[in-house]
Amino acid sequence: MTTPLDALPKVGAPATRALEAAGYSTLQGLAGIPRADLSALHGLGPKALDIIERALAEHGLGLG
């Protein structure tokens, strides 16, 4: 069973593929990563980044 920090948020297939291809497989793994680094990934747009930031904030975490 996965906890919210284990599971990536639902950001759409292209964004999920981009995150996984870059080696990010958990929400916790995204904590502290600069937003600019993530936005540079092909398939990861502003909407997906907002979803990720909200999911991290729910756990007291954020992007770098």
Side-chain angles (χ1 to χ4, degrees):
M1 178 174 206
T2 61
T3 66
L5 281 173
D6 290 336
L8 288 172
K10 301 209 181 309
V11 292
T16 300
R17 284 192 299 270
L19 289 169
E20 290 175 348
Y24 302 113
S25 59
T26 65
L27 179 60
Q28 189 172 18
L30 295 170
I33 303 299
R35 184 180 172 103
D37 288 1
L38 293 178
S39 66
L41 298 176
H42 180 74
L44 199 69
K47 182 178 177 183
L49 286 169
D50 289 344
I51 292 169
I52 290 167
E53 284 186 310
R54 282 194 305 271
L56 286 167
E58 289 176 10
H59 298 284
L61 301 170
L63 295 177

